[in-house]
Amino acid sequence: MMADKREMKLDLLPEDCIVQILSFTSPHDASQLSLVSTMVRDAALSDVLWEKFLPSYYREIIERLVLPIAFSSKKELFLKLFKPLLIDGGSKSFSIDKTTSKKCYMLSARELSITWSTNPLYWCWKPRLLHSRFPEGVELIMVCWLEIKGKINTRMLSPRTTYGAYLIVNLAGRAFGLDSLPSEVSVKVGDHESKGIVYLRRNNRKQELEMVIMRHRVETLRSRVDRGGQEHVLCERDDGWLEIELGEFYCDGVNDKQVTMCLREIKGEHLKGGLIVEGIELRPKLIY
């Protein structure tokens, strides 16, 4: 009986009041609460509610889409934004994180600053890479100086959110020299900088690939690498790519700051090749 009385009282509330109450929950909770009653269901489906869940400048995002999307309600639009969509001529992708409903971006390889990437002797731009969301990616032919940087302004991101930055890559069958020395990774925002290292090899296998005669030289070079921060590993993704966490940062939503993300291996003198770059992804991190 008590449950019935509470339900009746809820049904007596105006729909706009129920919408206001649901707006303080999450999209997932609002969908679950729609099962309580017909009145709550109507409120949980209303465009007024889902307008509150959508990013504040979703209309601008829609205008920047490479391909338009059709939707009959704000909830349908919200759900379609779970899937990464190309924006800005295909140089970036945008999506909403399914767990946190926060904004996610990926900067394509064309949006990054990659040393010598305009020289076809060192890097090869390839259209329609397998499983890639972007029109093209880039493969490292051979260099001794590997440096990849990306930049984004915090005003594009969700406020009061801790973000992780991830370099999305693959390793060609001919890959060589990428794990002779650890690459340095970093994310810098204002005075904050997170740093680490990563060996560019699958499954972070700890085998030595150098011949015994080269071991002393390799260890000498490794001693020159800045080992500040933690060691990161290459992780497999569901989309067929690998990712490297470059670092994390907190977006307060108050001050506009430039985020600079970087992977570099510039202290060795050996040649390396076979790294395929799709881009840099920024997504919210779950803090437990």
Side-chain angles (χ1 to χ4, degrees):
M1 290 296 295
M2 291 299 294
D4 290 339
K5 288 182 178 179
R6 285 195 294 269
E7 183 176 316
M8 288 176 63
K9 289 181 179 179
L10 187 60
D11 283 344
L12 290 174
L13 289 174
E15 183 176 311
D16 59 340
C17 290
I18 301 176
V19 167
Q20 186 65 22
I21 293 170
L22 293 178
S23 69
F24 290 105
T25 68
S26 67
H28 177 267
D29 290 340
S31 297
Q32 293 297 310
L33 289 168
S34 67
L35 303 175
V36 170
S37 69
T38 301
M39 180 67 77
V40 177
R41 183 193 63 198
D42 292 343
L45 293 174
S46 73
D47 280 350
V48 176
L49 174 64
W50 289 92
E51 178 98 19
K52 296 177 183 293
F53 289 145
L54 283 165
S56 57
Y57 64 104
Y58 73 89
R59 291 184 179 85
E60 178 189 337
I61 291 294
I62 292 175
E63 293 176 355
R64 293 161 60 189
L65 290 175
V66 172
L67 298 174
I69 56 175
F71 56 93
S72 58
S73 68
K74 296 296 174 59
K75 180 178 181 179
E76 184 181 1
L77 171 61
F78 183 90
L79 296 177
K80 286 193 173 184
L81 290 178
F82 281 158
K83 180 181 179 181
L85 301 171
L86 293 182
I87 61 173
D88 298 345
S91 63
K92 305 182 188 73
S93 73
F94 173 86
S95 63
I96 295 176
D97 182 70
K98 291 182 179 180
T99 303
T100 64
S101 301
K102 305 281 190 176
K103 304 170 191 172
C104 304
Y105 285 92
M106 187 186 289
L107 311 179
S108 71
R110 280 292 184 190
E111 280 286 291
L112 307 180
S113 174
I114 303 176
T115 303
W116 294 330
S117 63
T118 57
N119 191 324
L121 293 177
Y122 304 127
W123 291 86
C124 177
W125 289 93
K126 296 186 173 183
R128 300 297 175 187
L129 290 174
L130 184 64
H131 303 308
S132 178
R133 68 187 65 176
F134 296 113
E136 61 179 346
V138 66
E139 179 176 339
L140 174 60
I141 303 303
M142 186 169 58
V143 294
C144 59
W145 183 293
L146 176 62
E147 188 168 28
I148 302 169
K149 288 184 178 181
K151 295 180 180 180
I152 194 170
N153 195 287
T154 56
R155 67 172 175 271
M156 297 177 63
L157 306 173
S158 295
R160 301 178 297 280
T161 303
T162 298
Y163 274 89
Y166 304 85
L167 180 65
I168 312 304
V169 301
N170 239 325
L171 300 177
R174 64 175 191 85
F176 63 93
L178 295 170
D179 63 349
S180 297
L181 290 176
S183 296
E184 299 171 22
V185 296
S186 64
V187 172
K188 182 176 176 60
V189 186
D191 296 329
H192 166 78
E193 184 174 17
S194 65
K195 301 169 69 176
I197 61 170
V198 63
Y199 284 91
L200 296 177
R201 61 167 75 107
R202 289 182 182 272
N203 301 323
N204 197 37
R205 295 190 305 271
K206 293 295 185 180
Q207 78 270 27
E208 288 290 342
L209 302 180
E210 302 84 9
M211 296 174 61
V212 175
I213 194 171
M214 295 290 290
R215 191 175 300 277
H216 176 69
R217 174 178 177 274
V218 168
E219 291 304 321
T220 300
L221 287 171
R222 285 180 177 173
S223 68
R224 294 161 53 187
V225 176
D226 184 356
R227 293 178 178 266
Q230 67 183 101
E231 181 171 342
H232 300 262
V233 297
L234 273 175
C235 298
E236 294 189 4
R237 293 162 54 98
D238 293 337
D239 60 5
W241 290 82
L242 305 170
E243 69 178 26
I244 307 158
E245 182 175 350
L246 302 177
E248 65 178 49
F249 62 96
Y250 181 72
C251 178
D252 58 20
V254 177
N255 302 307
D256 290 347
K257 296 180 180 179
Q258 181 170 267
V259 182
T260 302
M261 305 153 286
C262 182
L263 177 142
R264 64 161 62 94
E265 199 295 280
I266 60 176
K267 295 182 179 179
E269 299 172 356
H270 64 287
L271 295 174
K272 40 198 162 278
L275 182 68
I276 304 169
V277 180
E278 184 184 31
I280 292 180
E281 183 176 65
L282 296 105
R283 62 176 189 262
K285 296 194 72 174
L286 295 177
I287 306 298
Y288 298 98

Short mmCIF file of all heavy atoms in Angstrom, two decimals, residues 112-158:
data_model
loop_
_atom_site.label_atom_id
_atom_site.label_comp_id
_atom_site.label_asym_id
_atom_site.label_seq_id
_atom_site.Cartn_x
_atom_site.Cartn_y
_atom_site.Cartn_z
N LEU A 112 47.54 16.06 -36.11
CA LEU A 112 48.70 15.98 -35.23
C LEU A 112 49.93 16.60 -35.88
O LEU A 112 50.00 16.74 -37.10
CB LEU A 112 48.99 14.51 -34.88
CG LEU A 112 47.82 13.70 -34.31
CD1 LEU A 112 48.26 12.27 -34.01
CD2 LEU A 112 47.23 14.36 -33.08
N SER A 113 50.87 16.94 -35.04
CA SER A 113 52.17 17.41 -35.52
C SER A 113 53.15 16.25 -35.42
O SER A 113 53.53 15.85 -34.31
CB SER A 113 52.65 18.60 -34.67
OG SER A 113 53.97 18.97 -35.03
N ILE A 114 53.50 15.68 -36.57
CA ILE A 114 54.37 14.50 -36.62
C ILE A 114 55.64 14.90 -37.38
O ILE A 114 55.58 15.27 -38.56
CB ILE A 114 53.68 13.32 -37.33
CG1 ILE A 114 52.36 12.97 -36.62
CG2 ILE A 114 54.61 12.11 -37.37
CD1 ILE A 114 51.56 11.89 -37.31
N THR A 115 56.74 14.86 -36.69
CA THR A 115 58.00 15.30 -37.30
C THR A 115 58.29 14.54 -38.58
O THR A 115 58.25 13.30 -38.59
CB THR A 115 59.16 15.12 -36.30
OG1 THR A 115 58.88 15.84 -35.10
CG2 THR A 115 60.47 15.62 -36.90
N TRP A 116 58.54 15.29 -39.66
CA TRP A 116 58.89 14.76 -40.99
C TRP A 116 57.74 14.01 -41.68
O TRP A 116 57.96 13.30 -42.65
CB TRP A 116 60.13 13.85 -40.92
CG TRP A 116 61.38 14.56 -40.53
CD1 TRP A 116 61.70 15.86 -40.78
CD2 TRP A 116 62.50 14.00 -39.84
NE1 TRP A 116 62.94 16.16 -40.28
CE2 TRP A 116 63.46 15.05 -39.69
CE3 TRP A 116 62.78 12.75 -39.30
CZ2 TRP A 116 64.67 14.86 -39.03
CZ3 TRP A 116 64.01 12.57 -38.66
CH2 TRP A 116 64.93 13.61 -38.53
N SER A 117 56.51 14.19 -41.20
CA SER A 117 55.40 13.44 -41.81
C SER A 117 55.06 13.92 -43.21
O SER A 117 54.34 13.24 -43.94
CB SER A 117 54.16 13.53 -40.93
OG SER A 117 53.70 14.87 -40.83
N THR A 118 55.57 15.09 -43.61
CA THR A 118 55.32 15.57 -44.97
C THR A 118 56.34 15.04 -45.97
O THR A 118 56.21 15.27 -47.17
CB THR A 118 55.34 17.11 -45.00
OG1 THR A 118 56.60 17.57 -44.51
CG2 THR A 118 54.23 17.68 -44.13
N ASN A 119 57.33 14.33 -45.48
CA ASN A 119 58.38 13.78 -46.35
C ASN A 119 58.07 12.32 -46.63
O ASN A 119 58.11 11.48 -45.72
CB ASN A 119 59.75 13.91 -45.68
CG ASN A 119 60.90 13.60 -46.63
OD1 ASN A 119 60.78 12.72 -47.49
ND2 ASN A 119 62.00 14.31 -46.49
N PRO A 120 57.75 11.96 -47.88
CA PRO A 120 57.37 10.58 -48.21
C PRO A 120 58.50 9.58 -48.04
O PRO A 120 58.25 8.37 -48.07
CB PRO A 120 56.94 10.68 -49.68
CG PRO A 120 57.63 11.89 -50.21
CD PRO A 120 57.71 12.85 -49.07
N LEU A 121 59.72 10.04 -47.82
CA LEU A 121 60.82 9.12 -47.54
C LEU A 121 60.72 8.55 -46.13
O LEU A 121 61.25 7.48 -45.84
CB LEU A 121 62.17 9.83 -47.72
CG LEU A 121 62.53 10.26 -49.15
CD1 LEU A 121 63.86 11.02 -49.14
CD2 LEU A 121 62.63 9.04 -50.07
N TYR A 122 60.04 9.31 -45.25
CA TYR A 122 59.98 8.94 -43.84
C TYR A 122 58.60 8.44 -43.40
O TYR A 122 58.50 7.55 -42.55
CB TYR A 122 60.41 10.12 -42.97
CG TYR A 122 61.78 10.65 -43.30
CD1 TYR A 122 61.99 11.99 -43.58
CD2 TYR A 122 62.88 9.79 -43.35
CE1 TYR A 122 63.26 12.48 -43.87
CE2 TYR A 122 64.15 10.27 -43.65
CZ TYR A 122 64.33 11.62 -43.92
OH TYR A 122 65.58 12.08 -44.21
N TRP A 123 57.55 9.03 -43.95
CA TRP A 123 56.19 8.66 -43.58
C TRP A 123 55.35 8.49 -44.84
O TRP A 123 55.55 9.21 -45.82
CB TRP A 123 55.53 9.73 -42.70
CG TRP A 123 56.11 9.84 -41.31
CD1 TRP A 123 57.19 10.59 -40.94
CD2 TRP A 123 55.64 9.19 -40.13
NE1 TRP A 123 57.43 10.46 -39.59
CE2 TRP A 123 56.48 9.61 -39.06
CE3 TRP A 123 54.59 8.32 -39.85
CZ2 TRP A 123 56.30 9.17 -37.75
CZ3 TRP A 123 54.40 7.89 -38.54
CH2 TRP A 123 55.26 8.31 -37.52
N CYS A 124 54.40 7.55 -44.81
CA CYS A 124 53.53 7.31 -45.96
C CYS A 124 52.07 7.47 -45.53
O CYS A 124 51.58 6.74 -44.65
CB CYS A 124 53.76 5.89 -46.49
SG CYS A 124 52.66 5.44 -47.86
N TRP A 125 51.38 8.43 -46.15
CA TRP A 125 49.96 8.65 -45.86
C TRP A 125 49.13 7.66 -46.67
O TRP A 125 49.30 7.54 -47.88
CB TRP A 125 49.55 10.09 -46.19
CG TRP A 125 50.13 11.07 -45.20
CD1 TRP A 125 51.30 11.75 -45.32
CD2 TRP A 125 49.56 11.41 -43.94
NE1 TRP A 125 51.51 12.52 -44.21
CE2 TRP A 125 50.46 12.34 -43.34
CE3 TRP A 125 48.40 11.06 -43.26
CZ2 TRP A 125 50.21 12.89 -42.09
CZ3 TRP A 125 48.16 11.61 -42.02
CH2 TRP A 125 49.05 12.51 -41.44
N LYS A 126 48.23 6.95 -45.97
CA LYS A 126 47.46 5.88 -46.61
C LYS A 126 45.97 6.12 -46.43
O LYS A 126 45.51 6.36 -45.30
CB LYS A 126 47.85 4.53 -46.00
CG LYS A 126 49.30 4.14 -46.25
CD LYS A 126 49.58 2.73 -45.76
CE LYS A 126 50.97 2.27 -46.16
NZ LYS A 126 51.24 0.88 -45.75
N PRO A 127 45.20 6.03 -47.52
CA PRO A 127 43.75 6.20 -47.41
C PRO A 127 43.06 4.94 -46.91
O PRO A 127 43.52 3.83 -47.16
CB PRO A 127 43.33 6.52 -48.85
CG PRO A 127 44.34 5.80 -49.69
CD PRO A 127 45.63 5.86 -48.92
N ARG A 128 41.98 5.16 -46.16
CA ARG A 128 41.07 4.07 -45.77
C ARG A 128 41.80 2.90 -45.12
O ARG A 128 41.73 1.76 -45.58
CB ARG A 128 40.26 3.57 -46.98
CG ARG A 128 39.41 4.65 -47.62
CD ARG A 128 38.37 5.15 -46.65
NE ARG A 128 37.61 6.27 -47.20
CZ ARG A 128 36.73 6.98 -46.50
NH1 ARG A 128 36.54 6.69 -45.22
NH2 ARG A 128 36.09 7.97 -47.06
N LEU A 129 42.48 3.17 -44.03
CA LEU A 129 43.12 2.09 -43.29
C LEU A 129 42.05 1.17 -42.68
O LEU A 129 40.97 1.62 -42.30
CB LEU A 129 44.00 2.66 -42.18
CG LEU A 129 45.27 3.38 -42.63
CD1 LEU A 129 45.96 4.02 -41.43
CD2 LEU A 129 46.22 2.43 -43.34
N LEU A 130 42.36 -0.11 -42.59
CA LEU A 130 41.41 -1.09 -42.07
C LEU A 130 40.97 -0.71 -40.65
O LEU A 130 41.81 -0.43 -39.79
CB LEU A 130 42.06 -2.48 -42.06
CG LEU A 130 41.16 -3.64 -41.63
CD1 LEU A 130 40.00 -3.82 -42.61
CD2 LEU A 130 41.98 -4.93 -41.53
N HIS A 131 39.66 -0.68 -40.43
CA HIS A 131 39.04 -0.39 -39.13
C HIS A 131 39.19 1.07 -38.69
O HIS A 131 38.80 1.41 -37.56
CB HIS A 131 39.61 -1.28 -38.02
CG HIS A 131 39.48 -2.75 -38.28
ND1 HIS A 131 38.28 -3.34 -38.62
CD2 HIS A 131 40.41 -3.75 -38.26
CE1 HIS A 131 38.47 -4.64 -38.79
NE2 HIS A 131 39.75 -4.91 -38.60
N SER A 132 39.74 1.93 -39.53
CA SER A 132 39.90 3.33 -39.12
C SER A 132 38.62 4.12 -39.38
O SER A 132 37.92 3.90 -40.37
CB SER A 132 41.06 3.98 -39.89
OG SER A 132 41.17 5.35 -39.53
N ARG A 133 38.33 5.07 -38.50
CA ARG A 133 37.15 5.92 -38.68
C ARG A 133 37.46 7.12 -39.58
O ARG A 133 36.55 7.83 -39.99
CB ARG A 133 36.67 6.43 -37.31
CG ARG A 133 37.60 7.39 -36.61
CD ARG A 133 37.16 7.73 -35.21
NE ARG A 133 37.21 6.57 -34.32
CZ ARG A 133 36.95 6.63 -33.01
NH1 ARG A 133 36.59 7.77 -32.46
NH2 ARG A 133 37.04 5.54 -32.27
N PHE A 134 38.75 7.35 -39.85
CA PHE A 134 39.15 8.53 -40.61
C PHE A 134 39.48 8.19 -42.07
O PHE A 134 39.78 7.04 -42.39
CB PHE A 134 40.37 9.19 -39.96
CG PHE A 134 40.10 9.73 -38.58
CD1 PHE A 134 40.70 9.17 -37.47
CD2 PHE A 134 39.22 10.78 -38.39
CE1 PHE A 134 40.46 9.66 -36.20
CE2 PHE A 134 38.96 11.28 -37.13
CZ PHE A 134 39.57 10.71 -36.04
N PRO A 135 39.43 9.19 -42.94
CA PRO A 135 39.70 8.95 -44.37
C PRO A 135 41.12 8.47 -44.64
O PRO A 135 41.36 7.81 -45.64
CB PRO A 135 39.45 10.32 -45.02
CG PRO A 135 38.58 11.06 -44.06
CD PRO A 135 38.98 10.58 -42.70
N GLU A 136 42.07 8.82 -43.76
CA GLU A 136 43.45 8.40 -43.99
C GLU A 136 44.21 8.32 -42.66
O GLU A 136 43.81 8.90 -41.65
CB GLU A 136 44.16 9.37 -44.94
CG GLU A 136 44.25 10.79 -44.42
CD GLU A 136 44.98 11.71 -45.37
OE1 GLU A 136 45.64 11.21 -46.30
OE2 GLU A 136 44.90 12.93 -45.17
N GLY A 137 45.27 7.57 -42.70
CA GLY A 137 46.20 7.48 -41.58
C GLY A 137 47.61 7.54 -42.12
O GLY A 137 47.81 7.73 -43.33
N VAL A 138 48.60 7.36 -41.25
CA VAL A 138 49.98 7.50 -41.70
C VAL A 138 50.83 6.39 -41.11
O VAL A 138 50.65 5.98 -39.97
CB VAL A 138 50.54 8.90 -41.32
CG1 VAL A 138 50.67 9.06 -39.81
CG2 VAL A 138 51.85 9.17 -42.02
N GLU A 139 51.76 5.86 -41.95
CA GLU A 139 52.65 4.79 -41.51
C GLU A 139 54.09 5.27 -41.55
O GLU A 139 54.54 5.89 -42.53
CB GLU A 139 52.50 3.55 -42.39
CG GLU A 139 53.43 2.40 -41.97
CD GLU A 139 53.21 1.13 -42.77
OE1 GLU A 139 52.12 0.98 -43.37
OE2 GLU A 139 54.14 0.29 -42.82
N LEU A 140 54.80 4.98 -40.48
CA LEU A 140 56.21 5.33 -40.40
C LEU A 140 57.04 4.40 -41.30
O LEU A 140 57.01 3.19 -41.13
CB LEU A 140 56.68 5.21 -38.95
CG LEU A 140 58.18 5.40 -38.69
CD1 LEU A 140 58.65 6.77 -39.13
CD2 LEU A 140 58.49 5.16 -37.21
N ILE A 141 57.75 5.01 -42.26
CA ILE A 141 58.64 4.23 -43.13
C ILE A 141 59.94 3.94 -42.39
O ILE A 141 60.27 2.80 -42.11
CB ILE A 141 58.93 4.99 -44.45
CG1 ILE A 141 57.62 5.32 -45.18
CG2 ILE A 141 59.85 4.15 -45.34
CD1 ILE A 141 56.76 4.12 -45.50
N MET A 142 60.65 5.01 -42.03
CA MET A 142 61.91 4.84 -41.30
C MET A 142 62.42 6.20 -40.85
O MET A 142 62.56 7.12 -41.66
CB MET A 142 62.96 4.14 -42.18
CG MET A 142 64.24 3.79 -41.45
SD MET A 142 65.30 2.69 -42.44
CE MET A 142 65.54 3.67 -43.92
N VAL A 143 62.66 6.34 -39.54
CA VAL A 143 63.27 7.56 -39.01
C VAL A 143 64.14 7.17 -37.82
O VAL A 143 64.05 6.07 -37.29
CB VAL A 143 62.22 8.59 -38.52
CG1 VAL A 143 61.39 9.14 -39.66
CG2 VAL A 143 61.35 8.00 -37.43
N CYS A 144 64.97 8.10 -37.39
CA CYS A 144 65.68 7.92 -36.14
C CYS A 144 65.10 8.85 -35.06
O CYS A 144 65.37 8.67 -33.88
CB CYS A 144 67.18 8.17 -36.31
SG CYS A 144 67.59 9.83 -36.91
N TRP A 145 64.32 9.85 -35.50
CA TRP A 145 63.73 10.85 -34.59
C TRP A 145 62.21 10.70 -34.68
O TRP A 145 61.59 11.11 -35.65
CB TRP A 145 64.17 12.25 -35.01
CG TRP A 145 63.69 13.36 -34.12
CD1 TRP A 145 62.42 13.78 -33.93
CD2 TRP A 145 64.51 14.22 -33.32
NE1 TRP A 145 62.35 14.84 -33.06
CE2 TRP A 145 63.64 15.13 -32.67
CE3 TRP A 145 65.88 14.31 -33.09
CZ2 TRP A 145 64.11 16.13 -31.80
CZ3 TRP A 145 66.34 15.31 -32.23
CH2 TRP A 145 65.47 16.20 -31.60
N LEU A 146 61.61 10.11 -33.64
CA LEU A 146 60.16 9.88 -33.62
C LEU A 146 59.51 10.84 -32.62
O LEU A 146 59.80 10.81 -31.43
CB LEU A 146 59.86 8.44 -33.21
CG LEU A 146 58.38 8.07 -33.04
CD1 LEU A 146 57.62 8.23 -34.34
CD2 LEU A 146 58.25 6.64 -32.50
N GLU A 147 58.64 11.71 -33.14
CA GLU A 147 57.97 12.68 -32.27
C GLU A 147 56.57 12.97 -32.82
O GLU A 147 56.41 13.37 -33.97
CB GLU A 147 58.77 13.97 -32.16
CG GLU A 147 58.22 14.93 -31.13
CD GLU A 147 59.19 16.08 -30.83
OE1 GLU A 147 59.99 16.44 -31.73
OE2 GLU A 147 59.15 16.61 -29.72
N ILE A 148 55.56 12.73 -31.97
CA ILE A 148 54.16 12.92 -32.35
C ILE A 148 53.49 13.79 -31.28
O ILE A 148 53.53 13.44 -30.09
CB ILE A 148 53.42 11.56 -32.45
CG1 ILE A 148 54.11 10.66 -33.47
CG2 ILE A 148 51.96 11.77 -32.81
CD1 ILE A 148 53.61 9.22 -33.44
N LYS A 149 52.90 14.90 -31.71
CA LYS A 149 52.25 15.81 -30.76
C LYS A 149 50.82 16.13 -31.19
O LYS A 149 50.52 16.18 -32.39
CB LYS A 149 53.03 17.13 -30.66
CG LYS A 149 54.36 17.04 -29.93
CD LYS A 149 54.99 18.42 -29.81
CE LYS A 149 56.30 18.37 -29.05
NZ LYS A 149 56.91 19.73 -28.92
N GLY A 150 49.97 16.35 -30.22
CA GLY A 150 48.60 16.78 -30.47
C GLY A 150 48.21 17.85 -29.48
O GLY A 150 48.72 17.88 -28.35
N LYS A 151 47.29 18.73 -29.90
CA LYS A 151 46.85 19.81 -29.02
C LYS A 151 45.33 19.97 -29.09
O LYS A 151 44.73 19.76 -30.15
CB LYS A 151 47.52 21.14 -29.41
CG LYS A 151 49.03 21.16 -29.23
CD LYS A 151 49.63 22.50 -29.63
CE LYS A 151 51.15 22.49 -29.43
NZ LYS A 151 51.75 23.80 -29.81
N ILE A 152 44.72 20.32 -27.96
CA ILE A 152 43.29 20.60 -27.90
C ILE A 152 43.06 21.58 -26.76
O ILE A 152 43.83 21.61 -25.78
CB ILE A 152 42.47 19.31 -27.69
CG1 ILE A 152 40.99 19.55 -27.96
CG2 ILE A 152 42.70 18.75 -26.30
CD1 ILE A 152 40.15 18.28 -28.00
N ASN A 153 42.01 22.41 -26.89
CA ASN A 153 41.69 23.37 -25.83
C ASN A 153 40.67 22.75 -24.88
O ASN A 153 39.74 22.07 -25.31
CB ASN A 153 41.16 24.67 -26.43
CG ASN A 153 41.15 25.80 -25.41
OD1 ASN A 153 40.35 25.84 -24.50
ND2 ASN A 153 42.07 26.74 -25.59
N THR A 154 40.82 23.02 -23.59
CA THR A 154 39.92 22.42 -22.60
C THR A 154 38.48 22.91 -22.75
O THR A 154 37.57 22.25 -22.25
CB THR A 154 40.39 22.73 -21.17
OG1 THR A 154 40.52 24.16 -21.00
CG2 THR A 154 41.74 22.08 -20.89
N ARG A 155 38.25 24.02 -23.44
CA ARG A 155 36.87 24.50 -23.60
C ARG A 155 36.03 23.54 -24.45
O ARG A 155 34.80 23.60 -24.41
CB ARG A 155 36.84 25.89 -24.22
CG ARG A 155 37.31 25.99 -25.65
CD ARG A 155 37.08 27.36 -26.25
NE ARG A 155 37.63 27.48 -27.59
CZ ARG A 155 38.86 27.87 -27.86
NH1 ARG A 155 39.69 28.19 -26.86
NH2 ARG A 155 39.31 27.94 -29.11
N MET A 156 36.69 22.67 -25.21
CA MET A 156 35.97 21.69 -26.03
C MET A 156 35.50 20.49 -25.21
O MET A 156 34.69 19.68 -25.69
CB MET A 156 36.86 21.20 -27.17
CG MET A 156 37.25 22.28 -28.17
SD MET A 156 38.38 21.65 -29.44
CE MET A 156 37.36 20.42 -30.25
N LEU A 157 36.00 20.36 -23.99
CA LEU A 157 35.77 19.16 -23.20
C LEU A 157 34.72 19.40 -22.11
O LEU A 157 34.30 20.53 -21.88
CB LEU A 157 37.08 18.71 -22.57
CG LEU A 157 38.24 18.50 -23.56
CD1 LEU A 157 39.53 18.21 -22.81
CD2 LEU A 157 37.92 17.37 -24.53
N SER A 158 34.31 18.34 -21.46
CA SER A 158 33.31 18.44 -20.38
C SER A 158 33.96 18.98 -19.12
O SER A 158 35.07 18.56 -18.75
CB SER A 158 32.69 17.07 -20.09
OG SER A 158 31.95 16.61 -21.20
#
